[in-house]
């Protein structure tokens, strides 16, 4: 059974930074593609960032490119999302997700993921 637990969310002013962490249980973590998604009230869950099993390939939503960085440590095992230059529109619940049989290096479609964490709230004040 794979479990994901996010942490690191909170309240921050616009222009500030937060680092989200996702703790993953499961001995086959190093073969999973991982991703971060977010959902704000009244909106669908949207892709934020994804990383390949090796960490060598990443992809980002256009809205966060250049501000957010996804990384992973397969030895721990953990996935991170460093968020800089935060904007009020980044306010959402952020979810970590794992794809055990990724069809490609990175996976940007939510329905392709097999496991999800409960989410962590990020609120950016103006």
């Amino acid at each position: 059974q794979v479990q994901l637990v996010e942490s690191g969310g909170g309240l921050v002013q616009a222009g500030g930074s937060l680092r989200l962490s996702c703790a993953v249980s499961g001995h086959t973590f190093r073969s999973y593609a991982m991703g971060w998604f977010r959902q704000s009230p009244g909106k669908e869950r949207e892709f934020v960032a994804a990383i390949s099993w090796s960490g060598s390939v990443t992809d980002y939503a256009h809205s966060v490119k250049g501000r957010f960085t996804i990384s992973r440590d397969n030895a721990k095992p953990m996935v991170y999302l460093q968020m800089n230059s935060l904007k009020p529109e980044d306010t959402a619940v952020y979810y970590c997700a794992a794809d055990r049989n990724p069809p490609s290096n990175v996976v940007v479609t939510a329905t392709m993921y097999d496991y999800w964490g409960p989410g962590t709230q990020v609120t950016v004040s103006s």
Side-chain angles (χ1 to χ4, degrees):
Q1 183 70 22
V2 176
Q3 291 186 325
L4 289 70
V5 179
E6 304 92 340
S7 62
L11 174 64
V12 64
Q13 288 189 330
S17 297
L18 282 175
R19 188 195 195 202
L20 303 184
S21 298
C22 175
V24 184
S25 65
H27 63 283
T28 56
F29 167 76
R30 62 182 66 248
S31 68
Y32 295 171
M34 301 296 297
W36 285 95
F37 290 76
R38 67 187 182 188
Q39 187 169 20
S40 51
K43 294 186 178 181
E44 293 188 355
R45 190 168 298 190
E46 65 172 350
F47 167 73
V48 175
I51 189 166
S52 64
W53 68 271
S54 66
S56 62
V57 182
T58 58
D59 196 8
Y60 298 91
H62 178 74
S63 59
V64 307
K65 195 170 293 185
R67 300 187 298 123
F68 291 11
T69 302
I70 188 171
S71 61
R72 66 189 293 163
D73 184 340
N74 286 345
K76 287 193 176 182
M78 298 285 290
V79 180
Y80 306 98
L81 185 68
Q82 178 67 43
M83 306 186 296
N84 298 329
S85 301
L86 282 162
K87 305 175 181 180
E89 50 263 44
D90 294 319
T91 295
V93 177
Y94 283 71
Y95 299 91
C96 176
D99 185 340
R100 62 188 174 187
N101 289 309
S104 58
N105 281 328
V106 291
V107 181
V108 303
T109 305
T111 54
M112 297 295 293
Y113 283 86
D114 302 292
Y115 307 104
W116 292 84
T120 185
Q121 176 70 47
V122 172
T123 303
V124 184
S125 63
S126 58

